Amino acid sequence: MANEAVPIPPDLTAALRAGRRVVVLSGAGISAESGVPTFRDAQTGHWARFRPEDLATPEAFRRNPKLVWDWYAARRAQLQRVTPNPGHHALVQMERRLPHFLIATQNVDGLHARAGSRQVLELHGNITRTKCFTENLLVDAWTDGPETPPKCPRCGGWLRPDVVWFNEMLPAAIFEEGQAASARCEVFLSVGTSALVYPAASLPLEALRAGAVLVEINPQPTPLTPHATHFLCGPSGQVLPALVRAAWPDAHPESAQ
Ligand code: OAD
């Protein structure tokens, strides 16, 4: 379906150009155009019969560690086949043009860093990192045996992905850094998130309370939409490059330059 261009409000491009501090909260939607299923889309393929909430919890892992490990292994393998999309690249351009820019991502796919973004807070961890379930410490090498999950080379406990599961706390220092940046920014972009999961979903509200311009980029409205200064209704792979081009006409946001 041809998407007509989403109009970019002139006062928004002016705020971005004049802005010194911009914070982005990104969710699964920014990776959708890279082919990564969003969290609340129906699970595709082999995993269609499971709900993520039944896989991404410590209880689910204790109940069936092999199933949970294999689900993440399948998602890691799928990530090998995807690349950042123009939405990720547009944020790299934005970072290069602003004195203070930060992405707080809920995504665990590592695509912002792969696109070249440097100031990225991984609120929910990173699926490509592995840690010991018993020690809660990272493990970067282990011996793969016939059974999964593999075992910690230090203590023999199960290995697990270094991601935040339901009912688990976010890494405190990382979330606090996101909170502090949200309370100081002039423009806050909420991109590709259903804005349902706290505490990440509190960041745009923190920015709004501090007087920031709040922009939501999503093809669907969310509970955040009524609070947004600007709701840019469209796919981030189109809207973010348009936003960057409008604010910095000499930018080439789609490319990986
Ligand atoms: P969701 O799957 O809840 O929401 C994805 C959002 O992206 C929806 O609002 C879609 O409308 C939107 N979307 C889809 N395609 C898009 C596109 N091309 N461009 C822009 N937006 C698009 O994913 P999240 O909001 O990221 O947490 O979910 C937040 C958290 O819920 C996840 O990090 C995960 C889950 O619990 C943990 O695992 C701890």
Side-chain angles (χ1 to χ4, degrees), residues 26-33 37-41 53 56 72 75 105-108 124 163-166 170 191-197 200 216-222 234-237:
S26 69
I30 198 169
S31 297
E33 289 156 273
T38 62
F39 214 89
R40 285 169 179 79
D41 277 352
E53 287 80 352
Y72 281 94
R75 288 175 61 189
T105 187
Q106 300 170 93
N107 299 339
V108 296
H124 292 165
V163 297
V164 176
W165 280 335
F166 290 98
L170 274 66
V191 183
T193 180
S194 55
L196 293 170
V197 175
E216 182 176 43
I217 297 173
N218 197 317
Q220 306 288 335
T222 73
S236 49

Short mmCIF file of all heavy atoms in Angstrom, two decimals, residues 26-33 37-41 53 56 72 75 105-108 124 163-166 170 191-197 200 216-222 234-237, ligand 1:
data_model
loop_
_atom_site.label_atom_id
_atom_site.label_comp_id
_atom_site.label_asym_id
_atom_site.label_seq_id
_atom_site.Cartn_x
_atom_site.Cartn_y
_atom_site.Cartn_z
N SER A 26 12.49 3.90 21.92
CA SER A 26 12.10 3.07 20.77
C SER A 26 11.57 1.72 21.26
O SER A 26 11.97 1.20 22.31
CB SER A 26 13.29 2.85 19.83
OG SER A 26 14.27 2.03 20.42
N GLY A 27 10.66 1.20 20.45
CA GLY A 27 10.08 -0.12 20.73
C GLY A 27 10.17 -0.98 19.48
O GLY A 27 10.74 -0.59 18.46
N ALA A 28 9.55 -2.15 19.59
CA ALA A 28 9.67 -3.17 18.54
C ALA A 28 9.27 -2.65 17.16
O ALA A 28 9.75 -3.12 16.13
CB ALA A 28 8.83 -4.38 18.92
N GLY A 29 8.41 -1.64 17.12
CA GLY A 29 7.93 -1.11 15.84
C GLY A 29 9.03 -0.56 14.97
O GLY A 29 8.96 -0.63 13.75
N ILE A 30 10.12 -0.03 15.59
CA ILE A 30 11.19 0.54 14.76
C ILE A 30 11.95 -0.56 14.04
O ILE A 30 12.57 -0.32 13.00
CB ILE A 30 12.14 1.43 15.59
CG1 ILE A 30 12.93 2.36 14.66
CG2 ILE A 30 13.09 0.59 16.47
CD1 ILE A 30 13.71 3.45 15.35
N SER A 31 11.88 -1.79 14.56
CA SER A 31 12.56 -2.91 13.89
C SER A 31 11.64 -3.71 12.98
O SER A 31 12.08 -4.61 12.27
CB SER A 31 13.18 -3.85 14.94
OG SER A 31 14.16 -3.16 15.69
N ALA A 32 10.33 -3.35 13.00
CA ALA A 32 9.36 -4.12 12.20
C ALA A 32 9.74 -4.10 10.72
O ALA A 32 9.68 -5.13 10.03
CB ALA A 32 7.95 -3.56 12.39
N GLU A 33 10.21 -2.95 10.21
CA GLU A 33 10.53 -2.85 8.78
C GLU A 33 11.87 -3.52 8.46
O GLU A 33 12.28 -3.59 7.31
CB GLU A 33 10.52 -1.38 8.33
CG GLU A 33 9.09 -0.81 8.31
CD GLU A 33 9.05 0.69 8.46
OE1 GLU A 33 9.03 1.17 9.61
OE2 GLU A 33 9.03 1.38 7.43
N PRO A 37 9.63 -9.47 14.06
CA PRO A 37 8.24 -9.38 14.53
C PRO A 37 8.15 -8.49 15.77
O PRO A 37 9.04 -8.51 16.62
CB PRO A 37 7.90 -10.83 14.90
CG PRO A 37 8.93 -11.68 14.24
CD PRO A 37 10.15 -10.84 14.10
N THR A 38 7.07 -7.69 15.86
CA THR A 38 6.91 -6.89 17.07
C THR A 38 6.45 -7.83 18.19
O THR A 38 6.16 -8.99 17.97
CB THR A 38 5.85 -5.79 16.86
OG1 THR A 38 4.61 -6.44 16.59
CG2 THR A 38 6.23 -4.88 15.71
N PHE A 39 6.46 -7.28 19.38
CA PHE A 39 6.23 -8.16 20.53
C PHE A 39 4.80 -8.68 20.58
O PHE A 39 4.55 -9.85 20.87
CB PHE A 39 6.53 -7.37 21.82
CG PHE A 39 7.11 -8.26 22.86
CD1 PHE A 39 8.47 -8.45 22.93
CD2 PHE A 39 6.29 -8.95 23.72
CE1 PHE A 39 9.00 -9.31 23.88
CE2 PHE A 39 6.80 -9.80 24.68
CZ PHE A 39 8.17 -9.98 24.75
N ARG A 40 3.88 -7.80 20.21
CA ARG A 40 2.46 -8.16 20.40
C ARG A 40 1.79 -8.58 19.09
O ARG A 40 0.61 -8.82 19.06
CB ARG A 40 1.71 -7.01 21.10
CG ARG A 40 2.09 -7.00 22.57
CD ARG A 40 1.66 -5.79 23.36
NE ARG A 40 2.09 -5.98 24.75
CZ ARG A 40 3.33 -5.79 25.17
NH1 ARG A 40 4.27 -5.39 24.32
NH2 ARG A 40 3.67 -6.01 26.42
N ASP A 41 2.64 -8.65 18.03
CA ASP A 41 2.11 -9.29 16.81
C ASP A 41 1.94 -10.76 17.14
O ASP A 41 2.67 -11.28 17.98
CB ASP A 41 3.13 -9.19 15.66
CG ASP A 41 3.03 -7.85 14.97
OD1 ASP A 41 2.08 -7.11 15.31
OD2 ASP A 41 3.88 -7.53 14.14
N GLU A 53 4.46 -13.88 26.86
CA GLU A 53 4.41 -13.78 28.33
C GLU A 53 4.61 -15.16 28.97
O GLU A 53 4.92 -15.26 30.15
CB GLU A 53 3.05 -13.21 28.77
CG GLU A 53 2.89 -11.72 28.49
CD GLU A 53 2.53 -11.43 27.04
OE1 GLU A 53 2.53 -12.36 26.19
OE2 GLU A 53 2.26 -10.27 26.72
N ALA A 56 8.86 -15.46 28.30
CA ALA A 56 9.84 -14.47 28.78
C ALA A 56 9.62 -14.16 30.25
O ALA A 56 9.35 -13.02 30.64
CB ALA A 56 9.71 -13.20 27.94
N TYR A 72 14.72 -18.21 22.38
CA TYR A 72 15.67 -17.09 22.19
C TYR A 72 16.72 -17.44 21.14
O TYR A 72 17.14 -16.58 20.36
CB TYR A 72 16.31 -16.71 23.53
CG TYR A 72 15.39 -15.86 24.37
CD1 TYR A 72 14.55 -16.43 25.32
CD2 TYR A 72 15.32 -14.49 24.17
CE1 TYR A 72 13.68 -15.65 26.06
CE2 TYR A 72 14.45 -13.69 24.91
CZ TYR A 72 13.64 -14.27 25.85
OH TYR A 72 12.76 -13.50 26.58
N ARG A 75 15.24 -16.69 17.90
CA ARG A 75 15.19 -15.23 17.65
C ARG A 75 16.57 -14.69 17.33
O ARG A 75 16.75 -13.85 16.46
CB ARG A 75 14.59 -14.52 18.87
CG ARG A 75 13.10 -14.74 19.03
CD ARG A 75 12.54 -14.14 20.31
NE ARG A 75 12.72 -12.69 20.37
CZ ARG A 75 12.47 -11.95 21.46
NH1 ARG A 75 12.05 -12.56 22.57
NH2 ARG A 75 12.64 -10.65 21.47
N THR A 105 16.17 2.26 24.37
CA THR A 105 15.40 1.28 23.60
C THR A 105 14.89 0.15 24.48
O THR A 105 15.57 -0.27 25.41
CB THR A 105 16.22 0.70 22.43
OG1 THR A 105 15.35 -0.12 21.62
CG2 THR A 105 17.42 -0.12 22.91
N GLN A 106 13.68 -0.29 24.16
CA GLN A 106 13.11 -1.48 24.81
C GLN A 106 13.49 -2.73 24.04
O GLN A 106 13.24 -3.85 24.49
CB GLN A 106 11.58 -1.37 24.86
CG GLN A 106 11.07 -0.16 25.63
CD GLN A 106 9.58 0.02 25.44
OE1 GLN A 106 8.76 -0.46 26.23
NE2 GLN A 106 9.21 0.74 24.39
N ASN A 107 14.08 -2.53 22.86
CA ASN A 107 14.39 -3.65 21.98
C ASN A 107 15.65 -4.37 22.45
O ASN A 107 16.56 -3.74 23.00
CB ASN A 107 14.57 -3.17 20.53
CG ASN A 107 13.30 -2.53 20.00
OD1 ASN A 107 12.20 -2.77 20.53
ND2 ASN A 107 13.43 -1.69 18.99
N VAL A 108 15.69 -5.64 22.18
CA VAL A 108 16.85 -6.46 22.60
C VAL A 108 17.63 -6.94 21.38
O VAL A 108 18.49 -7.79 21.47
CB VAL A 108 16.37 -7.67 23.45
CG1 VAL A 108 15.73 -7.19 24.74
CG2 VAL A 108 15.39 -8.56 22.67
N HIS A 124 15.98 -3.14 28.23
CA HIS A 124 15.54 -4.53 28.42
C HIS A 124 16.62 -5.53 28.07
O HIS A 124 16.32 -6.70 27.85
CB HIS A 124 14.26 -4.80 27.60
CG HIS A 124 13.08 -4.04 28.11
ND1 HIS A 124 11.92 -3.88 27.39
CD2 HIS A 124 12.87 -3.38 29.27
CE1 HIS A 124 11.05 -3.18 28.09
NE2 HIS A 124 11.61 -2.84 29.23
N VAL A 163 18.48 -10.63 28.93
CA VAL A 163 17.33 -9.74 28.66
C VAL A 163 16.49 -9.63 29.92
O VAL A 163 16.56 -10.50 30.80
CB VAL A 163 16.45 -10.25 27.49
CG1 VAL A 163 17.23 -10.29 26.19
CG2 VAL A 163 15.86 -11.61 27.83
N VAL A 164 15.70 -8.56 30.01
CA VAL A 164 14.81 -8.38 31.17
C VAL A 164 13.52 -9.15 30.89
O VAL A 164 12.87 -8.91 29.86
CB VAL A 164 14.50 -6.88 31.39
CG1 VAL A 164 13.50 -6.71 32.53
CG2 VAL A 164 15.78 -6.11 31.68
N TRP A 165 13.15 -10.05 31.76
CA TRP A 165 11.91 -10.80 31.61
C TRP A 165 10.77 -10.12 32.37
O TRP A 165 11.02 -9.25 33.21
CB TRP A 165 12.12 -12.23 32.13
CG TRP A 165 12.81 -13.13 31.15
CD1 TRP A 165 12.83 -12.98 29.77
CD2 TRP A 165 13.60 -14.29 31.42
NE1 TRP A 165 13.58 -13.99 29.20
CE2 TRP A 165 14.04 -14.80 30.18
CE3 TRP A 165 13.94 -14.96 32.59
CZ2 TRP A 165 14.83 -15.95 30.09
CZ3 TRP A 165 14.73 -16.10 32.50
CH2 TRP A 165 15.17 -16.59 31.26
N PHE A 166 9.56 -10.51 32.07
CA PHE A 166 8.44 -10.01 32.87
C PHE A 166 8.73 -10.36 34.33
O PHE A 166 9.35 -11.37 34.60
CB PHE A 166 7.14 -10.70 32.42
CG PHE A 166 6.66 -10.28 31.06
CD1 PHE A 166 6.94 -11.07 29.95
CD2 PHE A 166 6.00 -9.08 30.88
CE1 PHE A 166 6.52 -10.68 28.68
CE2 PHE A 166 5.58 -8.69 29.63
CZ PHE A 166 5.85 -9.50 28.53
N LEU A 170 14.37 -3.75 35.71
CA LEU A 170 15.29 -3.22 34.69
C LEU A 170 16.61 -2.89 35.39
O LEU A 170 16.64 -2.66 36.60
CB LEU A 170 14.73 -1.91 34.10
CG LEU A 170 13.77 -2.02 32.92
CD1 LEU A 170 12.47 -2.69 33.36
CD2 LEU A 170 13.47 -0.66 32.33
N VAL A 191 8.91 6.15 19.60
CA VAL A 191 8.88 5.58 18.24
C VAL A 191 8.63 4.07 18.31
O VAL A 191 9.39 3.33 18.94
CB VAL A 191 10.24 5.80 17.53
CG1 VAL A 191 10.18 5.27 16.10
CG2 VAL A 191 10.62 7.28 17.54
N GLY A 192 7.52 3.63 17.68
CA GLY A 192 7.32 2.19 17.50
C GLY A 192 7.11 1.42 18.78
O GLY A 192 7.55 0.28 18.91
N THR A 193 6.43 2.06 19.74
CA THR A 193 6.13 1.32 20.97
C THR A 193 4.66 1.49 21.33
O THR A 193 4.06 2.54 21.13
CB THR A 193 7.00 1.78 22.16
OG1 THR A 193 6.65 1.02 23.33
CG2 THR A 193 6.86 3.26 22.44
N SER A 194 4.09 0.40 21.87
CA SER A 194 2.68 0.42 22.26
C SER A 194 2.48 1.22 23.55
O SER A 194 1.36 1.44 23.99
CB SER A 194 2.17 -1.01 22.44
OG SER A 194 3.02 -1.69 23.38
N ALA A 195 3.60 1.63 24.17
CA ALA A 195 3.55 2.47 25.38
C ALA A 195 2.72 1.80 26.49
O ALA A 195 2.00 2.47 27.24
CB ALA A 195 2.97 3.85 25.05
N LEU A 196 2.80 0.48 26.56
CA LEU A 196 2.01 -0.26 27.55
C LEU A 196 2.83 -0.76 28.73
O LEU A 196 2.31 -1.09 29.76
CB LEU A 196 1.36 -1.49 26.87
CG LEU A 196 0.29 -1.22 25.81
CD1 LEU A 196 -0.06 -2.51 25.08
CD2 LEU A 196 -0.94 -0.61 26.47
N VAL A 197 4.16 -0.91 28.49
CA VAL A 197 4.98 -1.61 29.48
C VAL A 197 5.80 -0.61 30.29
O VAL A 197 6.61 0.13 29.74
CB VAL A 197 5.88 -2.65 28.78
CG1 VAL A 197 6.83 -3.31 29.77
CG2 VAL A 197 5.01 -3.71 28.11
N ALA A 200 9.42 1.61 31.33
CA ALA A 200 9.87 2.31 30.11
C ALA A 200 8.82 3.32 29.65
O ALA A 200 9.15 4.44 29.25
CB ALA A 200 10.14 1.29 29.00
N GLU A 216 5.00 11.36 18.95
CA GLU A 216 4.82 9.91 18.84
C GLU A 216 4.82 9.51 17.37
O GLU A 216 4.14 10.18 16.56
CB GLU A 216 3.51 9.45 19.50
CG GLU A 216 3.34 7.94 19.44
CD GLU A 216 2.10 7.45 20.17
OE1 GLU A 216 1.04 8.08 20.04
OE2 GLU A 216 2.20 6.44 20.89
N ILE A 217 5.61 8.49 17.02
CA ILE A 217 5.68 7.99 15.64
C ILE A 217 5.23 6.54 15.66
O ILE A 217 5.89 5.67 16.25
CB ILE A 217 7.11 8.13 15.08
CG1 ILE A 217 7.51 9.61 15.02
CG2 ILE A 217 7.21 7.48 13.69
CD1 ILE A 217 8.96 9.86 14.66
N ASN A 218 4.07 6.28 15.02
CA ASN A 218 3.47 4.95 15.09
C ASN A 218 2.35 4.91 14.05
O ASN A 218 1.62 5.89 13.92
CB ASN A 218 2.90 4.75 16.50
CG ASN A 218 2.62 3.28 16.81
OD1 ASN A 218 2.09 2.55 15.97
ND2 ASN A 218 3.00 2.84 17.99
N PRO A 219 2.18 3.78 13.33
CA PRO A 219 1.04 3.74 12.39
C PRO A 219 -0.30 3.58 13.09
O PRO A 219 -1.35 3.68 12.49
CB PRO A 219 1.35 2.50 11.52
CG PRO A 219 2.40 1.74 12.20
CD PRO A 219 3.05 2.62 13.20
N GLN A 220 -0.24 3.29 14.40
CA GLN A 220 -1.47 3.13 15.20
C GLN A 220 -1.43 4.07 16.40
O GLN A 220 -0.35 4.30 16.95
CB GLN A 220 -1.56 1.68 15.75
CG GLN A 220 -1.45 0.58 14.71
CD GLN A 220 -2.69 0.50 13.85
OE1 GLN A 220 -3.77 0.91 14.29
NE2 GLN A 220 -2.54 0.00 12.65
N PRO A 221 -2.59 4.54 16.87
CA PRO A 221 -2.60 5.29 18.12
C PRO A 221 -2.31 4.36 19.30
O PRO A 221 -2.48 3.14 19.20
CB PRO A 221 -4.02 5.86 18.19
CG PRO A 221 -4.84 5.05 17.26
CD PRO A 221 -3.92 4.46 16.24
N THR A 222 -1.83 4.92 20.39
CA THR A 222 -1.52 4.15 21.59
C THR A 222 -2.08 4.94 22.79
O THR A 222 -2.55 6.07 22.61
CB THR A 222 0.01 4.02 21.78
OG1 THR A 222 0.50 5.30 22.21
CG2 THR A 222 0.69 3.59 20.49
N GLY A 234 2.42 6.92 11.02
CA GLY A 234 3.02 6.24 9.87
C GLY A 234 4.17 5.36 10.33
O GLY A 234 4.56 5.38 11.50
N PRO A 235 4.72 4.58 9.40
CA PRO A 235 5.83 3.68 9.74
C PRO A 235 7.12 4.48 9.98
O PRO A 235 7.43 5.41 9.23
CB PRO A 235 5.95 2.78 8.52
CG PRO A 235 5.30 3.52 7.42
CD PRO A 235 4.30 4.44 8.01
N SER A 236 7.85 4.11 11.03
CA SER A 236 9.04 4.90 11.39
C SER A 236 10.10 4.87 10.29
O SER A 236 10.87 5.83 10.16
CB SER A 236 9.64 4.36 12.70
OG SER A 236 9.79 2.96 12.66
N GLY A 237 10.11 3.82 9.47
CA GLY A 237 11.09 3.75 8.38
C GLY A 237 10.86 4.81 7.33
O GLY A 237 11.73 5.11 6.54
P1 OAD B 1 4.75 -3.94 20.95
O1 OAD B 1 4.68 -5.13 20.05
O2 OAD B 1 3.95 -3.91 22.21
O3 OAD B 1 4.30 -2.65 20.12
C1 OAD B 1 4.87 -2.42 18.87
C2 OAD B 1 4.36 -1.06 18.40
O4 OAD B 1 4.99 -0.77 17.17
C3 OAD B 1 2.86 -1.01 18.17
O5 OAD B 1 2.33 0.16 18.76
C4 OAD B 1 2.74 -0.94 16.65
O6 OAD B 1 1.62 -0.16 16.22
C5 OAD B 1 4.02 -0.24 16.29
N1 OAD B 1 4.50 -0.48 14.93
C6 OAD B 1 4.31 -1.55 14.14
N2 OAD B 1 4.94 -1.37 12.96
C7 OAD B 1 5.57 -0.15 13.03
C8 OAD B 1 6.37 0.61 12.15
N3 OAD B 1 6.70 0.16 10.92
N4 OAD B 1 6.83 1.82 12.56
C9 OAD B 1 6.51 2.30 13.79
N5 OAD B 1 5.75 1.62 14.69
C10 OAD B 1 5.29 0.41 14.29
O7 OAD B 1 6.28 -3.70 21.26
P2 OAD B 1 6.89 -2.74 22.38
O8 OAD B 1 6.08 -1.52 22.55
O9 OAD B 1 8.32 -2.55 22.03
O10 OAD B 1 9.34 -6.09 27.21
O11 OAD B 1 6.79 -3.66 23.69
C11 OAD B 1 7.36 -3.14 24.86
C12 OAD B 1 7.82 -4.29 25.69
O12 OAD B 1 6.75 -5.24 25.88
C13 OAD B 1 8.91 -5.12 25.07
O13 OAD B 1 10.17 -4.54 25.21
C14 OAD B 1 8.82 -6.38 25.90
C15 OAD B 1 7.32 -6.53 26.03
O14 OAD B 1 6.96 -6.96 27.30
C16 OAD B 1 10.06 -7.11 27.82
O15 OAD B 1 10.32 -8.13 27.23
C17 OAD B 1 10.46 -6.82 29.20
#
